Amino acid sequence: MDQSFLKVISNSIKKNWKNPALSNYQGETYTYGDIAERIEKVRLTLEAANLKKGDKVALVGRNSAGWAMNFIAILANGYVAVPILHEFKPTSIHHIINHSDSKALFVSGSIWENLDISELEKLNIVMLIDNIDILYAKKKKLDRIHLADELFIKEHSYILRFQDIKFHSDKPDELAMISYTSGTSGFSKGVMIPYRALWGNVYWATTVIPELGPDKQVVSVLPMAHMYGLSFEILTELASGVHIHLLTKTPSPRIITEMFAKCHPWIIILVPLVLEKIVRKNIFPKLQSTKFKILTKVPLVRDKIYKVIRDQLYKALGGNLYEVIIGGAAFSKDVESFMKQIHFPYTVGYGMTECAPIIAYAPWDSFKKGSVGKAVEHMQIRIDSSNPYKEVGEIQVKGINTMLGYYHNEQATKDSFTEDGWLKTGDLGVLDREGYLYIRGRSKNMILGPNGQNIYPEEIEDQVNGLPFVAESIVVERDNKLVALIHPDVEKMDAQNISFTEVRHNIQISITQLNQELPAYSKLSSFQIYEDEFEKTPKRSIKRYLYK
């Protein structure tokens, strides 16, 4: 089997040359042929700036068609891509560009204004991410705004044919990109992703998600600089000839709903928080009424009510949905149970940046509630415990999607693999007899109870998050006692004109009731209210380390 990622992309560009590929929100649309033109312009410009194959090229900016085209162009010409999340502070962006040894940079104008070129001495050239106009060039003769257009016209006389494009011939274990898990120098790890991992993710996705093709559309909501969004909202779609619509602005609920209604996406990739907010704010309140509680006790009536709710949710998500794929963080048990009850086509997957990212998945119609699916093709999963079906242990994985290691960090690379070559995920879980994986928490988050019990804070948090007026929570250990840090549902408070004092009283009553249901070693000793939302990563996971 030919495992060339770039051959998959080049075949799709040739096949779909005149078809729409990328559309910016309320902006321009670019065809697959336009991607080919961008590949050539990037090649000519970077060669003029003395870059050689294997050199690193960084990208930082919001999701846009230009971002996606530049990423493909970097790889197609044999360079190594270094995506950087646009939310990172300038000091973090400086650090990643320098740490990765990047020699070129694609950047949005607003971010460039806050960077200091004197701190980026390795860069030969800097270009605007959307139109690749030159912002800076070390070689003064290249310091011309429209350099890329000039070089392209000189080479191709305005006309480009597919046969004029010479794609790099990638090898499975060749470095394709470096993905940074954090921006700060104390935490950042540059995950080295090989071409085989990109191919493995795209090959798997195009085989298990049916009917992806030129007649389908997808809305890109997640940040492209993160592996989850990059692999399954961009690369898989470009490999299939899909038309991708990019949210170039902050993805507010209004804009997302508007895009779903306009584009009728075939698949939707979400982090749990987005779907949980939709269900908790728009559906759960209706089900709490006395009328609904009575009606849903009658099986036939309940089924009809659930069908109406399912159809409304389906329509709100565009009305042309094969399935919603949820990943990136733990999914709330009460929301998931409800989604299962109404037979909504959702599934939960599991992955990590170090696997680019996919590890486990199951289609919605065979997915088991509470699991994160089974090991995907070309990947293996094992549990580091004496009884992986009953005893929780670290989840370890092996296969084509695994990283090469961490850039410039041999010790971290060594520490991340077992002696027999399995990648340590740092997550805890169990398997069932059919191979479905169940996550129990992060090993670094696990709390050792007073009598040696393993306490998984995520399991307690899931129950706390289901309490009235709780938007999100973190359970931490303080003075050998468990404390819940709680951010209330401020919108619900405002709607019902309830003060923080009243909410604190209501939550106290709820916590007392919850403690009656929890084992003695995992009862909450107290709680603390946080009026502001907890700080989060770009994939909407809480930065737990800030709240220990």
Side-chain angles (χ1 to χ4, degrees):
M1 184 185 298
D2 189 345
Q3 296 182 2
S4 170
F5 168 77
L6 289 177
K7 188 168 290 185
V8 171
I9 297 297
S10 64
N11 287 341
S12 180
I13 289 176
K14 181 178 181 181
K15 181 179 178 181
N16 301 289
W17 189 267
K18 294 183 179 181
N19 294 339
L22 300 154
S23 291
N24 289 327
Y25 173 71
Q26 295 181 338
E28 311 85 349
T29 292
Y30 299 86
T31 66
Y32 280 81
D34 291 330
I35 297 176
E37 181 177 311
R38 180 62 63 95
I39 290 170
E40 269 298 273
K41 287 183 176 180
V42 168
R43 176 183 70 83
L44 294 166
T45 305
L46 294 185
E47 285 180 356
N50 291 336
L51 267 74
K52 304 293 187 295
K53 286 192 175 186
D55 282 342
K56 317 301 187 301
V57 181
L59 309 92
V60 56
R62 287 186 177 276
N63 286 12
S64 68
W67 197 110
M69 289 192 290
N70 292 336
F71 180 87
I72 294 297
I74 291 167
L75 270 58
N77 289 302
Y79 304 111
V80 176
V82 183
I84 303 174
L85 289 160
H86 73 275
E87 293 95 339
F88 285 164
K89 302 295 184 184
T91 52
S92 297
I93 295 172
H94 289 151
H95 165 70
I96 292 175
I97 292 171
N98 290 327
H99 185 269
S100 65
D101 302 311
S102 291
K103 291 188 177 180
L105 170 66
F106 291 100
V107 63
S108 67
S110 59
I111 292 174
W112 174 243
E113 291 175 0
N114 296 305
L115 299 184
D116 185 350
I117 190 63
S118 68
E119 294 188 25
L120 303 170
E121 296 180 357
K122 296 178 184 179
L123 289 179
N124 287 3
I125 194 166
V126 178
M127 296 152 285
L128 271 175
I129 204 160
D130 287 325
N131 57 18
I132 59 176
D133 283 351
I134 306 301
L135 294 169
Y136 162 83
K138 188 172 288 186
K139 291 170 64 175
K140 291 305 176 184
K141 68 176 184 178
L142 300 180
D143 198 1
R144 305 194 303 276
I145 293 177
H146 302 301
L147 174 66
D149 292 332
E150 295 173 18
L151 295 173
F152 180 81
I153 293 169
K154 183 178 180 181
E155 181 89 2
H156 295 287
S157 300
Y158 295 97
I159 300 173
L160 182 71
R161 302 167 299 171
F162 178 79
Q163 52 265 40
D164 295 329
I165 307 296
K166 295 180 176 60
F167 275 76
H168 173 65
S169 180
D170 56 300
K171 303 294 186 295
D173 280 314
E174 180 183 351
L175 179 61
M177 61 179 291
I178 305 174
S179 181
Y180 280 80
T181 57
S182 172
T184 59
S185 58
F187 293 94
S188 60
K189 289 181 180 177
V191 180
M192 296 190 289
I193 306 293
Y195 275 100
R196 58 171 162 75
L198 296 183
W199 178 87
N201 274 264
V202 167
Y203 172 83
W204 164 79
T206 53
T207 56
V208 300
I209 302 173
E211 299 184 39
L212 277 178
D215 61 329
K216 297 296 186 296
Q217 301 188 81
V218 164
V219 177
S220 176
V221 177
L222 302 174
M224 288 192 287
H226 191 275
M227 287 308 308
Y228 187 25
L230 178 63
S231 290
F232 301 129
E233 289 183 338
I234 302 297
L235 301 185
T236 294
E237 284 71 16
L238 291 179
S240 307
V242 172
H243 184 186
I244 306 165
H245 298 264
L246 299 130
L247 293 181
T248 53
K249 299 182 178 181
T250 301
S252 69
R254 181 188 65 79
I255 293 176
I256 292 175
T257 302
E258 176 187 311
M259 290 294 284
F260 286 163
K262 174 185 176 182
C263 305
H264 312 293
W266 180 244
I267 58 169
I268 293 176
I269 314 293
L270 291 175
V271 292
L273 189 64
V274 175
L275 190 58
E276 288 167 6
K277 281 189 173 182
I278 292 173
V279 174
R280 290 189 194 278
K281 291 179 186 277
N282 301 320
I283 298 176
F284 277 4
K286 297 177 183 177
L287 297 178
Q288 299 305 312
S289 70
T290 303
K291 178 182 177 181
F292 268 101
K293 286 181 178 179
I294 294 172
L295 291 174
T296 53
K297 288 181 179 180
V298 183
L300 291 177
V301 177
R302 181 180 61 234
D303 291 343
K304 289 182 179 180
I305 291 173
Y306 283 171
K307 182 182 184 304
V308 171
I309 293 172
R310 181 178 66 249
D311 290 347
Q312 289 176 345
L313 185 55
Y314 187 83
K315 184 178 179 180
L317 295 175
N320 188 42
L321 189 64
Y322 167 66
E323 74 176 4
V324 174
I325 303 175
I326 298 164
F331 194 23
S332 167
K333 288 181 181 178
D334 60 340
V335 174
E336 181 176 7
S337 293
F338 177 75
M339 298 292 284
K340 202 72 172 176
Q341 282 180 326
I342 66 173
H343 303 293
F344 196 81
Y346 83 96
T347 186
V348 180
Y350 170 61
M352 61 190 302
T353 301
E354 286 82 349
C355 290
I358 198 65
I359 295 171
Y361 164 91
W364 73 269
D365 52 0
S366 62
F367 171 75
K368 287 187 178 182
K369 187 183 74 171
S371 78
V372 290
K374 300 193 288 188
V376 300
E377 187 174 359
H378 302 122
M379 292 296 288
Q380 302 173 62
I381 297 173
R382 75 180 185 187
I383 304 296
D384 186 22
S385 74
S386 57
N387 185 347
Y389 304 112
K390 293 183 179 180
E391 183 183 324
V392 173
E394 183 183 42
I395 301 165
Q396 298 176 351
V397 301
K398 192 175 187 180
I400 198 170
N401 294 351
T402 54
M403 68 173 180
L404 298 171
Y406 297 110
Y407 194 62
H408 289 333
N409 199 333
E410 292 183 11
Q411 187 58 50
T413 300
K414 183 179 179 180
D415 293 342
S416 295
F417 288 90
T418 64
E419 291 185 2
D420 56 347
W422 289 71
L423 177 64
K424 303 174 185 178
T425 66
D427 292 322
L428 300 168
V430 293
L431 292 166
D432 69 13
R433 296 289 178 178
E434 295 180 71
Y436 283 85
L437 177 64
Y438 298 80
I439 306 293
R440 291 292 179 259
R442 289 285 296 173
S443 59
K444 66 180 180 181
N445 296 336
M446 189 189 76
I447 299 169
L448 192 64
N451 295 314
Q453 307 96 335
N454 290 338
I455 301 171
Y456 305 109
E458 293 91 345
E459 294 184 352
I460 306 173
E461 291 161 6
D462 188 73
Q463 296 188 62
V464 173
N465 291 342
L467 299 177
F469 295 104
V470 175
E472 55 188 1
S473 66
I474 315 171
V475 172
V476 299
E477 183 182 29
R478 292 180 178 173
D479 298 324
N480 297 317
K481 295 180 180 180
L482 297 180
V483 179
L485 313 183
I486 295 172
H487 171 58
D489 189 333
V490 178
E491 290 184 18
K492 186 175 181 180
M493 290 169 57
D494 291 342
Q496 298 186 22
N497 195 26
I498 293 176
S499 68
F500 274 98
T501 300
E502 292 173 295
V503 161
R504 185 174 285 103
H505 176 69
N506 288 335
I507 290 176
Q508 178 65 70
I509 294 173
S510 298
I511 292 289
T512 300
Q513 293 172 344
L514 176 60
N515 273 337
Q516 294 175 5
E517 302 172 13
L518 293 172
Y521 60 82
S522 61
K523 292 183 186 296
L524 296 166
S525 66
S526 62
F527 69 93
Q528 183 178 344
I529 296 293
Y530 278 69
E531 296 188 11
D532 295 325
E533 184 178 338
F534 296 122
E535 286 195 42
K536 296 184 178 66
T537 68
K539 67 173 185 176
R540 304 300 293 166
S541 296
I542 296 172
K543 294 181 178 180
R544 305 178 72 98
Y545 64 88
L546 296 177
Y547 300 95
K548 294 297 184 184

